[in-house]
Amino acid sequence: MNNWKKKFIIIWSGQLFSILSSSIAQFAIVLWISLETGSAEVLSFATIAALLPQVVLGPFAGVFVDRWSRKWTMILADSFVALCSSIIALLFYLDVIEIWQIYLLLMLRSVGSAFHAPAMKSSIPLLAPEKELTRIASINQTIQALCNICGPVLGAALIVSTNMSVVMLLDVAGAAIACTTPNPEKTETETTNNVLRDMKEGFQAICSNCGLKWVMVTEVLITFFIMPVVALIPLMTLKNFSGTAYQVSLIELLFGSGALVGGILLGIWNPRIRKVVMINISYIIIGVSIFVSGILPPSAFIIYAIFAIVQGISMPFYSGPFTALLQTQIEVSFLGRVFSLFDSISLL
């Protein structure tokens, strides 16, 4: 615990390269699908393909995250994602890529994420003091925001100047760098040999905390209404506001800039306000801004862009406190299962 800052600097350095390369690849795939097909249906199917394995495998993955070495879980997950990206790169290089192949490989990449995300989140309380968890979550959000800013810009630039195979190879390189980053070893965790029983124990760990249970239910409901908007933002920019690839990138850039500012503010400020209060205020701000964006006329692109910034600033003020809330209210031995179960339900 005394050396937590040094450890996290190393971890954050590796995650920066990994998340940035993934952000570039993700935006490039979305933009390629949007430009090639112009279909909301195809874009929605691609989103489902990228989420469905995490929905199905998440509760099972959490059991093994709590059983296995979290270090090797993350390394193997990153390696598998790199393999999938290299296959996509090869298909683009050979110019034989088809939409169904993208669906399949997005699903396989999602398998790796099903193990990596809960392993990473459940490791943090083992490495840092409890009072610093909100700040650490905000810095993680800042890194994500920085990548959201640079990813679309670099993704669009690389598509214009090179090709999709180069973009996907960058994702391979980012995953390789993440594999070399030091990660926490396994801690002693009491689990049974029965997967279903371990899953049930993770669910009971949530239900035993009545207040936390309702916070998670609210988060799931909010996610249910926000996710369709997030999935169609690129197409909304292209069609509703007669945008171009540049304007799609600009909206992503502004949202990421807002999230970067919000993450920095939360990291520096580290307010002692109740976490649930911050979460609820952020929900209200995001909901109002999305509603107003939805009723704007095509000529109001500037206002649409301003609200993208507002949404970005609000994001860390609910995601950071919510993550820290789970990490402080749930025993470490159950965190892998709790994060996996929650992520699965939210994505569903």
Side-chain angles (χ1 to χ4, degrees):
M1 290 295 179
N2 294 331
N3 296 322
W4 71 271
K5 291 182 180 179
K6 182 178 179 180
K7 293 176 183 177
F8 272 94
I9 288 173
I10 298 173
I11 291 172
W12 284 326
S13 299
Q15 289 300 307
L16 176 62
F17 286 103
S18 178
I19 295 172
L20 178 59
S21 61
S22 292
S23 178
I24 292 172
Q26 179 179 335
F27 178 80
I29 290 174
V30 169
L31 184 58
W32 184 85
I33 291 174
S34 299
L35 295 175
E36 288 291 318
T37 67
S39 169
E41 182 181 14
V42 172
L43 198 58
S44 295
F45 279 132
T47 303
I48 292 171
L51 300 180
L52 189 59
Q54 288 179 262
V55 172
V56 176
L57 295 177
F60 299 94
V63 172
F64 294 102
V65 166
D66 284 335
R67 288 182 181 182
W68 296 342
S69 163
R70 285 168 178 154
K71 172 181 179 178
W72 283 104
T73 299
M74 286 187 273
I75 288 175
L76 292 174
D78 281 327
S79 300
F80 185 71
V81 169
L83 176 62
C84 295
S85 295
S86 63
I87 294 173
I88 298 177
L90 179 61
L91 292 173
F92 272 110
Y93 178 75
L94 297 175
D95 198 21
V96 295
I97 193 73
E98 295 183 20
I99 294 296
W100 71 267
Q101 294 168 334
I102 290 180
Y103 291 161
L104 177 60
L105 289 164
L106 286 176
M107 290 180 70
L108 292 174
R109 280 171 56 93
S110 181
V111 172
S113 298
F115 286 88
H116 186 280
M120 186 66 191
K121 291 177 185 176
S122 60
S123 298
I124 291 175
L126 303 173
L127 301 173
E130 181 177 318
K131 65 179 181 179
E132 303 293 344
L133 293 179
T134 300
R135 173 173 284 139
I136 289 170
S138 71
I139 295 175
N140 287 332
Q141 185 68 49
T142 301
I143 292 173
Q144 184 69 56
L146 183 62
C147 295
N148 288 340
I149 294 172
C150 299
V153 176
L154 294 174
L158 287 170
I159 287 180
V160 172
S161 60
T162 58
N163 52 60
M164 282 293 297
S165 60
V166 173
V167 174
M168 299 312 300
L169 285 176
L170 283 176
D171 193 30
V172 176
I177 292 173
C179 289
T180 64
T181 302
N183 291 301
E185 297 287 356
K186 176 180 172 59
T187 57
E188 292 299 323
T189 301
E190 292 185 6
T191 58
T192 68
N193 291 323
N194 189 307
V195 173
L196 294 179
R197 188 180 302 166
D198 285 348
M199 288 171 57
K200 181 180 178 181
E201 289 180 356
F203 183 75
Q204 289 174 338
I206 298 172
C207 293
S208 62
N209 188 322
C210 187
L212 184 63
K213 176 180 66 178
W214 285 109
V215 172
M216 294 183 74
V217 169
T218 304
E219 168 74 7
V220 169
L221 291 174
I222 296 294
T223 302
F224 177 79
F225 290 102
I226 289 179
M227 278 304 297
V229 179
V230 173
L232 295 175
I233 283 294
L235 211 58
M236 181 177 176
T237 305
L238 287 171
K239 291 196 170 184
N240 288 34
F241 295 96
S242 301
T244 62
Y246 165 76
Q247 287 170 309
V248 173
S249 300
L250 178 63
I251 292 299
E252 296 287 342
L253 174 65
L254 292 175
F255 178 85
S257 299
L260 178 62
V261 171
I264 292 173
L265 285 175
L266 185 60
I268 295 174
W269 182 20
N270 196 20
R272 301 304 176 186
I273 303 171
R274 288 184 62 195
K275 296 179 178 67
V276 173
V277 173
M278 282 195 290
I279 291 170
N280 288 330
I281 292 174
S282 300
Y283 283 157
I284 294 170
I285 294 173
I286 292 172
V288 170
S289 62
I290 287 177
F291 175 79
V292 174
S293 297
I295 62 175
L296 289 174
S299 58
F301 180 79
I302 293 177
I303 300 176
Y304 173 63
I306 291 173
F307 276 110
I309 299 174
V310 172
Q311 293 165 31
I313 292 174
S314 303
M315 288 286 288
F317 283 89
Y318 88 79
S319 62
F322 179 77
T323 300
L325 196 64
L326 291 184
Q327 290 168 339
T328 55
Q329 295 293 315
I330 301 292
E331 290 184 22
V332 174
S333 59
F334 292 101
L335 277 178
R337 282 164 280 181
V338 169
F339 275 117
S340 293
L341 184 61
F342 169 74
D343 289 345
S344 293
I345 296 173
S346 297
L347 292 176
L348 179 61

